[in-house]
Amino acid sequence: MKFSQAMKVSFKNITMNKLRATLTMLGIIIGVAAVIALTSLGMGASQSVSDEVSSLGTTTVSVTLSGNSSDEEVVTYDELMSFEDLDEVEAVSPTVTTSSTVKNGTTSSDGVTVTGITTSYEKVEEITLQSGRNVMDVDIDNRNKVVVLGYNVATELFGFSNPIDQTVKIDGTTFKVIGVLAEQGEELSGSVDDQVLIPFTTAQRFIGQTYVNSATVNMTSEDTVEMGMAKMKQELYNQFDGDETSYSVRNQSSVSEALDSVSNTMTYLLAGIASISLIVGGIGIMNIMLVSVTERTREIGIRKAIGAKKKDIMLQFLIEATVLSALGGILGALIGLGSAELLSSVLDMTMQITWWVVGGAVGFSVFIGVVFGLFPANKASNLSPLEA
């Protein structure tokens, strides 16, 4: 029998048993749909993280330091600012932070992050002012009690009023408002909307801390990042007497690689779990095809009696199993794409459709059909015409 004839017979047998064929394909449909939907959302989430990290700047390096007021092995402001003497470093922005309550009269905002900054903070962190001015050198030199409010803090304390030149109290200490930051929104590195910024030296006295918590360092170019990081690590290694747990120096690209690795692992894990449905679907196809062999014993016997060879019978049942799995794969792909789009809207997540994943899922479903169709096809081809 010709291949085209075998295809016609396959479709005829499937259409004669529509409900059974649909139930047989259900496992394949669910498996392919799950693989495509979960993989699209997983890869979309991974891309969002990568874009977020990239927006932080590939020439930006984060330095995190540990220490306490009784610890001699801490890094002071002057020691950290000496990094600017390195040829690879463009600017250093050290910070000290604490959590405080900020009040305007009877209106208060609790748990606000108070960050002590230098004049380089605006450039390094790329913040934008909505109104007023930023912290200046004169504020740092004189330990002026001035503050720049984050957007959310300003809105909560002053509403629609202009806070510039007004005063607020931070844990009971009066500060003059000199600026308000433009709304930034949530970012991977955190948001300054819920922070207030004060001069670095003022923050040190306010907190009672002489050492530095952290710093952001801008390198001159991408080519100088690795060398600059190596020099800073060496200086910190010497400062902390070889205790590498007391500091960390990280570039945003390394953070991006780590997050990408985690995201990809989770995506592959979800796809692997979803693929189990394809295996279950394949088992369903095998079971139904075995039932079909039993039901069609007379047909097989007659075909063999009039000259059909073993390979003809085997091909017939393989084609039917493949057609079932291929149809299930195509329907599953359409449902998977629709589900991914729906989940993206409902969960407000980015979806990234990768067509090699769609093609791979459908191709794998066909492969499953062939593999699990071999046993019933072989059983059918081995039937004796006399027994049939």
Side-chain angles (χ1 to χ4, degrees):
M1 187 166 63
K2 293 181 180 180
F3 182 80
S4 58
Q5 290 176 308
M7 288 291 292
K8 290 180 181 178
V9 173
S10 297
F11 278 106
K12 183 178 180 181
N13 286 323
I14 291 172
T15 54
M16 284 175 62
N17 300 280
K18 295 183 180 67
L19 179 59
R20 188 169 73 178
T22 302
L23 293 175
T24 303
M25 293 186 293
L26 195 57
I28 296 293
I29 292 172
I30 293 172
V32 171
V35 168
I36 292 174
L38 293 176
T39 303
S40 297
L41 288 172
M43 296 181 74
S46 179
Q47 186 61 48
S48 295
V49 171
S50 297
D51 293 342
E52 193 72 37
V53 173
S54 297
S55 68
L56 299 178
T58 55
T59 60
T60 303
V61 174
S62 298
V63 179
T64 305
L65 307 164
S66 65
N68 55 64
S69 57
S70 61
D71 190 352
E72 294 181 359
E73 295 181 357
V74 294
V75 177
T76 64
Y77 171 81
D78 292 333
E79 289 170 337
L80 193 60
M81 291 305 293
S82 67
F83 285 164
E84 286 191 337
D85 296 332
L86 299 175
D87 295 334
E88 296 81 7
V89 174
E90 180 181 17
V92 177
S93 175
T95 56
V96 289
T97 59
T98 187
S99 181
S100 303
T101 298
V102 183
K103 289 185 176 182
N104 172 33
T106 58
T107 305
S108 64
S109 181
D110 299 323
V112 177
T113 300
V114 179
T115 305
I117 65 169
T118 61
T119 54
S120 58
Y121 185 86
E122 181 177 10
K123 177 183 178 182
V124 172
E125 298 292 344
E126 297 182 350
I127 59 172
T128 304
L129 286 170
Q130 183 184 71
S131 59
R133 67 173 178 86
N134 196 11
V135 172
M136 301 172 64
D137 287 329
V138 65
D139 299 317
I140 295 172
D141 294 340
N142 297 324
R143 293 190 176 91
N144 290 339
K145 294 178 182 178
V146 294
V147 62
V148 177
L149 303 179
Y151 180 84
N152 290 343
V153 179
T155 302
E156 186 174 355
L157 295 180
F158 291 93
F160 295 103
S161 302
N162 182 14
I164 304 300
D165 293 332
Q166 302 295 318
T167 60
V168 295
K169 288 189 176 182
I170 303 177
D171 285 351
T173 302
T174 302
F175 283 78
K176 179 182 177 181
V177 180
I178 59 171
V180 176
L181 297 175
E183 186 176 11
Q184 175 180 290
E186 291 296 328
E187 294 185 357
L188 192 64
S189 59
S191 174
V192 295
D193 292 344
D194 298 311
Q195 297 184 30
V196 296
L197 311 178
I198 63 177
F200 185 87
T201 51
T202 307
Q204 284 187 309
R205 175 174 289 182
F206 179 73
I207 301 171
Q209 175 177 308
T210 58
Y211 59 92
V212 182
N213 293 122
S214 60
T216 303
V217 182
N218 263 8
M219 298 298 182
T220 54
S221 69
E222 291 184 21
D223 298 332
T224 62
V225 171
E226 292 299 325
M227 179 60 71
M229 287 177 63
K231 290 182 178 180
M232 287 190 293
K233 285 179 180 179
Q234 184 59 51
E235 290 195 22
L236 291 172
Y237 181 87
N238 296 334
Q239 179 67 31
F240 286 97
D241 293 332
D243 183 9
E244 296 183 0
T245 62
S246 296
Y247 64 89
S248 67
V249 180
R250 292 192 299 268
N251 178 235
Q252 304 303 344
S253 60
S254 62
V255 175
S256 177
E257 290 172 3
L259 291 174
D260 281 345
S261 177
V262 173
S263 298
N264 290 336
T265 300
M266 292 302 298
T267 300
Y268 296 144
L269 179 62
L270 290 173
I273 293 173
S275 298
I276 295 174
S277 297
L278 289 174
I279 307 297
V280 175
I283 295 173
I285 288 176
M286 181 177 66
N287 290 336
I288 294 300
M289 294 305 296
L290 285 171
V291 172
S292 181
V293 170
T294 304
E295 288 180 347
R296 295 160 62 187
T297 301
R298 179 180 294 182
E299 173 197 332
I300 295 168
I302 293 173
R303 288 182 60 189
K304 278 201 160 190
I306 60 175
K309 297 179 182 179
K310 180 179 178 179
K311 66 178 182 179
D312 297 321
I313 304 298
M314 191 167 187
L315 179 63
Q316 179 64 52
F317 281 85
L318 270 180
I319 288 175
E320 290 185 24
T322 304
V323 168
L324 279 171
S325 58
L327 287 174
I330 293 170
L331 288 173
L334 294 175
I335 293 173
L337 292 172
S339 299
E341 194 71 52
L342 179 62
L343 287 172
S344 176
S345 301
V346 172
L347 301 177
D348 194 24
M349 294 176 64
T350 303
M351 179 188 68
Q352 184 178 5
I353 298 174
T354 307
W355 293 108
W356 66 263
V357 172
V358 178
V362 175
F364 187 62
S365 69
V366 174
F367 173 75
I368 287 289
V370 172
V371 170
F372 284 95
L374 281 172
F375 180 66
N378 186 61
K379 182 178 180 180
S381 66
N382 286 326
L383 278 178
S384 166
L386 288 175
E387 292 177 4

